[in-house]
Amino acid sequence: MLGTVLACIPTGVTFPIGLVLLLAAFVVSLVAVCQKGAKKWPSITGLILSVVGGIVGSIVFATVLWFGITTTVDQLDPAPLTSEQPTEEPPQPSEEPTDEAPEEPSANDDADDERPSPEAIGEGLQAILTNAGIVDYDDVPGFFVCAGEYHYGSELSDESLRALAAGEDVTGPERDLAIQVAYDATGECDPSL
C-alpha cells in the first residue's frame, strides 16, 4: 500500500522509491504464494496490489511528465505576431512586345514584394530561436542556411517567409504549415537527428 501511494506522488524521488517498494512487495508475495501450508489469499492480494499499484503509479507519473513537457514547450513558443495571406497575385509578365515604355518603380514599391533569400530566412529563424532562448543550433555549421533553404522551397507564402526573415513568427492560417515545415527542416538539417 505504501509503495502505491509513493508511486502515485509524481516526483523524481518518491516515484522510484514507490516502485522499489512495489517490486519488493511483489517478490515477497510471490514467495508467499509458493510456500506450502500458508494461507494464499494475503499473498495473492499482495501480488494484485503491487501490480496494480505499479501500473497506476506509472500512469500518474507519465501523465504528469507529459503535461510538464508540453507546458514547457508551449511556454518556449514566442508570442504570435501578425502575418496575413496575400490577397492578390502579382501580374504575370506577357511575352508579347508592347509599345509602352516599362514602368519605373515608384517610391512606394519595395523589394519586400519578393520572396526573401534562403540566407535571410535562416537569419530570421536564428533570431526567432535566440529570442525564445533556444541556442542549441548556433554551433551547428550550416544549420540555419539549410533550414532557410528548406523553408524557401516549402509551400509557405512569400509573406510568411518575409515574416520569418524579419525574425517574426508566422500566424494566421499558415501557422500550422510553418510549424510543420520547421519540424521537417530541423529533421533534415540537424546532423545529430
Side-chain angles (χ1 to χ4, degrees):
M1 184 71 166
L2 176 64
T4 303
V5 171
L6 288 176
C8 288
I9 300 174
T11 66
V13 177
T14 58
F15 178 73
I17 292 172
L19 287 184
V20 168
L21 290 175
L22 287 170
L23 180 63
F26 181 81
V27 170
V28 169
S29 297
L30 190 61
V31 169
V33 166
C34 296
Q35 286 182 341
K36 292 184 179 180
K39 292 183 178 180
K40 303 292 184 197
W41 72 266
S43 55
I44 292 172
T45 303
L47 280 173
I48 293 171
L49 286 177
S50 64
V51 170
V52 170
I55 292 170
V56 169
S58 297
I59 290 172
V60 168
F61 187 77
T63 303
V64 169
L65 186 64
W66 174 258
F67 282 115
I69 290 172
T70 56
T71 302
T72 302
V73 169
D74 289 343
Q75 289 174 352
L76 290 178
D77 194 18
L81 301 172
T82 60
S83 174
E84 299 176 3
Q85 292 282 357
T87 54
E88 29 178 275
E89 292 187 21
Q92 299 296 327
S94 65
E95 295 183 14
E96 298 176 12
T98 61
D99 294 338
E100 298 174 10
E103 286 185 27
E104 293 294 321
S106 67
N108 294 335
D109 291 342
D110 293 327
D112 290 339
D113 292 340
E114 298 177 5
R115 198 168 182 91
S117 69
E119 293 80 14
I121 297 169
E123 290 171 6
L125 291 170
Q126 185 173 12
I128 291 170
L129 291 179
T130 302
N131 289 339
I134 301 171
V135 293
D136 298 343
Y137 299 107
D138 287 350
D139 297 332
V140 178
F143 174 81
F144 290 106
V145 173
C146 175
E149 290 172 355
Y150 198 91
H151 279 78
Y152 184 84
S154 72
E155 295 178 7
L156 287 171
S157 68
D158 292 352
E159 187 169 349
S160 294
L161 291 177
R162 283 193 298 273
L164 288 174
E168 300 171 354
D169 195 18
V170 176
T171 59
E174 283 196 321
R175 179 160 177 76
D176 291 338
L177 176 61
I179 291 171
Q180 184 60 47
V181 170
Y183 282 132
D184 294 344
T186 301
E188 186 74 26
C189 300
D190 186 357
S192 66
L193 295 179

